[in-house]
Amino acid sequence: MGLTAWVPRHAGVALGAPPAAAADGSVVAGVEPDRIVAASPVALTPRGARLGGIEQMDWPALREAVAGCRACALCESRRNTVFGVGHEQAHWMIVGEAPGENEDRHGEPFVGQAGRLLDSMLRSIGLTREAAPPERQVFICNVLKCRPPGNRNPEPQEVAQCEPFLKRQVALVKPRIILAMGRFAVQSLLRTTEPIGRLRGRVHDYEGVPLIVTYHPAYLLRNLPDKAKAWDDLCLALDTLRSRP
Ligand code: URA
Protein backbone atom coordinates (compact mmCIF):
# COMPACT_ATOMS: atom_id res chain seq x y z
CA MET A 1 0.00 0.00 0.00
CA GLY A 2 1.07 3.59 -0.51
CA LEU A 3 3.23 5.29 -3.07
CA THR A 4 4.92 2.93 -5.48
CA ALA A 5 7.47 3.33 -8.22
CA TRP A 6 4.95 4.48 -10.81
CA VAL A 7 4.19 7.68 -8.88
CA PRO A 8 6.69 10.53 -9.30
CA ARG A 9 8.21 11.86 -6.10
CA HIS A 10 6.80 15.33 -6.61
CA ALA A 11 3.26 13.95 -6.57
CA GLY A 12 3.29 14.85 -2.88
CA VAL A 13 0.03 13.18 -1.94
CA ALA A 14 -0.58 11.32 1.27
CA LEU A 15 -2.58 8.17 0.72
CA GLY A 16 -4.98 6.98 3.36
CA ALA A 17 -6.54 3.57 3.75
CA PRO A 18 -7.21 1.65 0.51
CA PRO A 19 -10.07 1.52 -0.20
CA ALA A 20 -24.53 5.04 -34.31
CA ALA A 21 -26.04 2.28 -32.68
CA ALA A 22 -29.07 2.94 -30.59
CA ALA A 23 -28.08 3.31 -26.98
CA ASP A 24 -30.45 0.54 -25.96
CA GLY A 25 -28.59 -1.91 -28.16
CA SER A 26 -31.71 -3.03 -29.96
CA VAL A 27 -31.23 -1.20 -33.22
CA VAL A 28 -28.07 -0.73 -35.22
CA ALA A 29 -27.66 2.54 -37.10
CA GLY A 30 -26.79 1.87 -40.71
CA VAL A 31 -27.90 -1.74 -40.53
CA GLU A 32 -31.29 -2.64 -41.92
CA PRO A 33 -33.73 -3.99 -39.30
CA ASP A 34 -33.86 -7.39 -41.03
CA ARG A 35 -30.17 -7.79 -40.28
CA ILE A 36 -30.71 -7.51 -36.55
CA VAL A 37 -30.66 -10.95 -35.05
CA ALA A 38 -32.73 -11.41 -31.95
CA ALA A 39 -31.54 -14.80 -30.77
CA SER A 40 -28.66 -17.29 -30.70
CA PRO A 41 -26.73 -18.95 -32.16
CA VAL A 42 -24.29 -16.06 -32.45
CA ALA A 43 -22.05 -18.17 -34.66
CA LEU A 44 -24.59 -17.67 -37.44
CA THR A 45 -24.81 -13.91 -37.00
CA PRO A 46 -24.26 -12.39 -40.45
CA ARG A 47 -21.51 -9.84 -40.95
CA GLY A 48 -22.88 -6.33 -40.29
CA ALA A 49 -25.59 -7.49 -37.90
CA ARG A 50 -25.59 -7.37 -34.14
CA LEU A 51 -27.72 -9.23 -31.66
CA GLY A 52 -30.70 -7.36 -30.29
CA GLY A 53 -31.71 -7.50 -26.65
CA ILE A 54 -28.24 -6.78 -25.28
CA GLU A 55 -29.77 -4.66 -22.53
CA GLN A 56 -31.45 -7.77 -21.10
CA MET A 57 -28.52 -10.15 -21.31
CA ASP A 58 -26.98 -11.85 -18.30
CA TRP A 59 -23.24 -12.44 -18.05
CA PRO A 60 -23.07 -15.70 -20.01
CA ALA A 61 -25.29 -14.35 -22.81
CA LEU A 62 -23.31 -11.14 -22.98
CA ARG A 63 -20.00 -13.02 -23.13
CA GLU A 64 -21.37 -15.20 -25.91
CA ALA A 65 -22.70 -12.18 -27.81
CA VAL A 66 -19.33 -10.42 -27.66
CA ALA A 67 -17.47 -13.58 -28.67
CA GLY A 68 -19.69 -14.02 -31.72
CA CYS A 69 -20.10 -10.35 -32.64
CA ARG A 70 -19.73 -9.57 -36.34
CA ALA A 71 -21.25 -6.09 -36.25
CA CYS A 72 -18.24 -4.30 -37.72
CA ALA A 73 -15.21 -5.07 -39.86
CA LEU A 74 -12.94 -5.60 -36.83
CA CYS A 75 -14.34 -9.13 -36.58
CA GLU A 76 -12.46 -10.00 -39.78
CA SER A 77 -9.01 -9.19 -38.41
CA ARG A 78 -9.29 -10.05 -34.71
CA ARG A 79 -7.77 -13.20 -33.23
CA ASN A 80 -9.84 -13.00 -30.06
CA THR A 81 -12.51 -10.73 -28.71
CA VAL A 82 -11.50 -9.11 -25.41
CA PHE A 83 -14.52 -9.11 -23.14
CA GLY A 84 -13.00 -7.92 -19.88
CA VAL A 85 -11.55 -9.34 -16.72
CA GLY A 86 -12.14 -9.07 -13.00
CA HIS A 87 -14.90 -9.25 -10.43
CA GLU A 88 -18.42 -9.26 -11.82
CA GLN A 89 -19.54 -7.16 -8.85
CA ALA A 90 -16.42 -5.01 -8.62
CA HIS A 91 -16.67 -1.66 -6.86
CA TRP A 92 -14.19 -0.24 -9.38
CA MET A 93 -14.63 -0.46 -13.14
CA ILE A 94 -11.70 0.53 -15.34
CA VAL A 95 -12.48 1.38 -18.95
CA GLY A 96 -9.74 1.63 -21.58
CA GLU A 97 -9.77 2.11 -25.32
CA ALA A 98 -9.32 -1.09 -27.32
CA PRO A 99 -7.27 -4.27 -27.33
CA GLY A 100 -3.77 -4.04 -28.76
CA GLU A 101 -1.71 -6.85 -30.22
CA ASN A 102 -1.03 -8.62 -26.90
CA GLU A 103 -4.61 -8.32 -25.76
CA ASP A 104 -5.86 -9.62 -29.11
CA ARG A 105 -3.55 -12.63 -28.72
CA HIS A 106 -4.48 -13.39 -25.11
CA GLY A 107 -8.12 -12.31 -25.06
CA GLU A 108 -7.52 -10.22 -21.93
CA PRO A 109 -7.37 -6.42 -21.58
CA PHE A 110 -4.22 -4.55 -20.64
CA VAL A 111 -1.69 -7.36 -20.69
CA GLY A 112 1.13 -5.40 -22.39
CA GLN A 113 3.40 -2.65 -21.12
CA ALA A 114 0.50 -0.26 -20.52
CA GLY A 115 -1.20 -3.03 -18.58
CA ARG A 116 1.79 -3.42 -16.29
CA LEU A 117 1.63 0.28 -15.54
CA LEU A 118 -2.10 0.03 -14.95
CA ASP A 119 -1.54 -2.87 -12.54
CA SER A 120 0.98 -0.85 -10.52
CA MET A 121 -1.34 2.13 -10.45
CA LEU A 122 -4.08 -0.10 -9.12
CA ARG A 123 -1.75 -1.76 -6.63
CA SER A 124 -0.77 1.65 -5.25
CA ILE A 125 -4.34 2.14 -4.04
CA GLY A 126 -4.87 -1.42 -2.88
CA LEU A 127 -6.62 -2.74 -5.98
CA THR A 128 -5.93 -5.71 -8.22
CA ARG A 129 -7.26 -7.59 -11.23
CA GLU A 130 -6.48 -10.89 -9.48
CA ALA A 131 -9.02 -12.78 -7.39
CA ALA A 132 -10.03 -10.69 -4.36
CA PRO A 133 -13.20 -9.38 -2.70
CA PRO A 134 -15.25 -6.96 -4.85
CA GLU A 135 -13.95 -3.89 -3.05
CA ARG A 136 -10.39 -4.83 -4.06
CA GLN A 137 -10.73 -6.71 -7.34
CA VAL A 138 -11.54 -4.36 -10.21
CA PHE A 139 -13.33 -5.12 -13.46
CA ILE A 140 -11.28 -4.00 -16.48
CA CYS A 141 -12.65 -3.67 -19.99
CA ASN A 142 -12.42 -1.54 -23.09
CA VAL A 143 -14.69 0.57 -25.26
CA LEU A 144 -13.92 -1.76 -28.18
CA LYS A 145 -13.91 -5.51 -27.71
CA CYS A 146 -11.83 -6.15 -30.85
CA ARG A 147 -8.42 -4.88 -31.88
CA PRO A 148 -8.30 -2.16 -34.53
CA PRO A 149 -5.69 -3.30 -37.09
CA GLY A 150 -2.25 -1.81 -36.46
CA ASN A 151 -3.59 -0.30 -33.23
CA ARG A 152 -5.15 2.56 -35.16
CA ASN A 153 -7.69 4.77 -33.39
CA PRO A 154 -11.22 3.38 -33.09
CA GLU A 155 -13.61 4.63 -35.77
CA PRO A 156 -16.80 6.35 -34.54
CA GLN A 157 -19.03 3.64 -36.01
CA GLU A 158 -16.97 0.92 -34.29
CA VAL A 159 -17.41 2.72 -30.98
CA ALA A 160 -21.13 3.06 -31.65
CA GLN A 161 -21.53 -0.64 -32.54
CA CYS A 162 -19.68 -1.77 -29.41
CA GLU A 163 -21.29 0.70 -27.03
CA PRO A 164 -24.26 -1.46 -25.98
CA PHE A 165 -21.84 -4.14 -24.76
CA LEU A 166 -20.04 -1.68 -22.49
CA LYS A 167 -23.29 -0.19 -21.30
CA ARG A 168 -24.55 -3.66 -20.36
CA GLN A 169 -21.27 -4.48 -18.60
CA VAL A 170 -21.71 -1.38 -16.46
CA ALA A 171 -25.32 -2.30 -15.73
CA LEU A 172 -24.32 -5.83 -14.67
CA VAL A 173 -21.27 -4.88 -12.60
CA LYS A 174 -23.03 -1.91 -10.97
CA PRO A 175 -19.69 -0.37 -10.03
CA ARG A 176 -19.45 2.30 -7.36
CA ILE A 177 -16.92 4.19 -9.45
CA ILE A 178 -15.72 4.18 -13.05
CA LEU A 179 -12.21 5.18 -14.03
CA ALA A 180 -12.24 6.18 -17.70
CA MET A 181 -8.73 6.03 -19.13
CA GLY A 182 -7.81 7.94 -22.24
CA ARG A 183 -9.58 10.02 -24.83
CA PHE A 184 -11.72 7.31 -26.41
CA ALA A 185 -13.06 5.91 -23.15
CA VAL A 186 -13.72 9.37 -21.76
CA GLN A 187 -15.27 10.86 -24.86
CA SER A 188 -17.45 7.89 -25.63
CA LEU A 189 -18.73 7.41 -22.06
CA LEU A 190 -19.34 11.11 -21.49
CA ARG A 191 -20.46 11.85 -25.06
CA THR A 192 -18.17 14.82 -25.38
CA THR A 193 -15.32 16.01 -27.54
CA GLU A 194 -13.70 17.97 -24.71
CA PRO A 195 -10.05 17.08 -24.16
CA ILE A 196 -9.07 15.08 -21.10
CA GLY A 197 -7.21 18.04 -19.62
CA ARG A 198 -10.48 19.93 -19.32
CA LEU A 199 -12.46 17.02 -17.93
CA ARG A 200 -10.07 15.84 -15.23
CA GLY A 201 -10.33 16.92 -11.63
CA ARG A 202 -14.07 16.65 -11.17
CA VAL A 203 -16.64 13.93 -10.77
CA HIS A 204 -18.74 13.08 -13.84
CA ASP A 205 -21.69 10.74 -14.14
CA TYR A 206 -22.29 7.72 -16.34
CA GLU A 207 -25.69 6.10 -15.95
CA GLY A 208 -25.81 7.18 -12.30
CA VAL A 209 -22.28 5.99 -11.55
CA PRO A 210 -19.60 8.54 -10.59
CA LEU A 211 -16.94 8.64 -13.29
CA ILE A 212 -13.38 9.92 -12.96
CA VAL A 213 -11.42 10.94 -16.03
CA THR A 214 -7.74 10.13 -16.28
CA TYR A 215 -4.94 9.58 -18.75
CA HIS A 216 -4.41 6.32 -20.58
CA PRO A 217 -1.47 4.29 -19.23
CA ALA A 218 0.08 4.15 -22.73
CA TYR A 219 0.03 7.95 -22.78
CA LEU A 220 1.61 8.05 -19.32
CA LEU A 221 4.46 5.83 -20.54
CA ARG A 222 5.27 8.51 -23.11
CA ASN A 223 4.57 11.50 -20.85
CA LEU A 224 6.10 10.70 -17.51
CA PRO A 225 5.44 14.09 -15.83
CA ASP A 226 1.70 13.53 -16.22
CA LYS A 227 1.89 10.56 -13.85
CA ALA A 228 1.50 13.09 -11.04
CA LYS A 229 -1.84 14.13 -12.50
CA ALA A 230 -2.91 10.50 -12.87
CA TRP A 231 -2.07 10.02 -9.20
CA ASP A 232 -4.30 12.99 -8.36
CA ASP A 233 -7.05 11.35 -10.40
CA LEU A 234 -6.74 8.11 -8.42
CA CYS A 235 -6.91 10.07 -5.19
CA LEU A 236 -10.02 11.87 -6.41
CA ALA A 237 -11.58 8.50 -7.22
CA LEU A 238 -10.74 7.20 -3.73
CA ASP A 239 -12.15 10.33 -2.09
CA THR A 240 -15.29 10.11 -4.20
CA LEU A 241 -15.84 6.50 -3.22
CA ARG A 242 -15.30 7.20 0.46
CA SER A 243 -17.64 10.19 0.45
CA ARG A 244 -20.56 8.13 -0.90
CA PRO A 245 -22.31 5.54 1.23
N1 URA B 1 -4.90 -0.23 -24.30
C1 URA B 1 -6.22 -0.25 -24.01
O1 URA B 1 -6.89 0.78 -24.03
N2 URA B 1 -6.76 -1.40 -23.69
C2 URA B 1 -6.09 -2.54 -23.64
O2 URA B 1 -6.68 -3.56 -23.33
C3 URA B 1 -4.71 -2.50 -23.95
C4 URA B 1 -4.14 -1.33 -24.28
Side-chain angles (χ1 to χ4, degrees):
M1 189 65 52
L3 295 175
T4 55
W6 82 272
V7 184
R9 272 168 207 271
H10 63 273
V13 181
L15 182 70
D24 68 359
S26 59
V27 177
V28 184
V31 176
E32 316 82 58
D34 63 353
R35 303 203 69 200
I36 296 188
V37 184
S40 288
V42 290
L44 300 180
T45 306
R47 172 70 182 83
R50 200 191 58 226
L51 291 182
I54 293 173
E55 70 281 7
Q56 260 104 50
M57 287 180 178
D58 60 9
W59 280 110
L62 190 64
R63 284 179 192 279
E64 192 190 354
V66 168
C69 181
R70 295 179 51 74
C72 77
L74 297 184
C75 69
E76 310 285 2
S77 52
R78 74 183 178 218
R79 286 197 221 176
N80 289 295
T81 54
V82 179
F83 181 81
V85 70
H87 203 296
E88 291 181 355
Q89 248 72 68
H91 291 193
W92 290 70
M93 188 154 173
I94 318 294
V95 182
E97 177 180 319
E101 187 182 3
N102 292 312
E103 292 77 19
D104 176 62
R105 188 175 307 126
H106 295 283
E108 181 172 334
F110 284 103
V111 291
Q113 209 190 349
R116 286 192 286 283
L117 176 56
L118 173 61
D119 285 334
S120 25
M121 292 168 71
L122 295 174
R123 207 175 309 120
S124 72
I125 52 169
L127 303 175
T128 177
R129 74 169 75 197
E130 308 299 336
E135 62 274 17
R136 290 199 56 236
Q137 187 187 7
V138 300
F139 187 86
I140 307 175
C141 61
N142 286 307
V143 170
L144 293 191
K145 311 304 185 206
C146 297
R147 180 193 182 202
N151 297 348
R152 64 158 169 75
N153 288 339
E155 299 283 352
Q157 82 275 11
E158 293 163 354
V159 172
Q161 296 279 35
C162 239
E163 188 183 23
F165 292 137
L166 179 57
K167 190 174 175 189
R168 187 63 187 151
Q169 286 178 311
V170 174
L172 287 169
V173 173
K174 298 187 192 68
R176 296 187 185 188
I177 194 133
I178 297 173
L179 198 58
M181 305 191 106
R183 179 160 68 98
F184 286 93
V186 168
Q187 293 185 343
S188 87
L189 287 168
L190 296 181
R191 297 199 179 281
T192 179
T193 53
E194 288 265 301
I196 290 190
R198 287 220 214 113
L199 295 164
R200 289 184 50 251
R202 58 199 155 101
V203 183
H204 301 267
D205 177 276
Y206 177 79
E207 305 274 321
V209 182
L211 182 149
I212 303 297
V213 166
T214 194
Y215 294 108
H216 193 283
Y219 167 87
L220 294 174
L221 289 169
R222 299 189 304 269
N223 298 274
L224 299 181
D226 278 343
K227 283 183 175 181
K229 294 181 186 164
W231 175 248
D232 291 344
D233 299 335
L234 290 183
C235 291
L236 175 60
L238 275 173
D239 287 347
T240 305
L241 203 55
R242 286 191 194 126
S243 68
R244 296 181 189 220

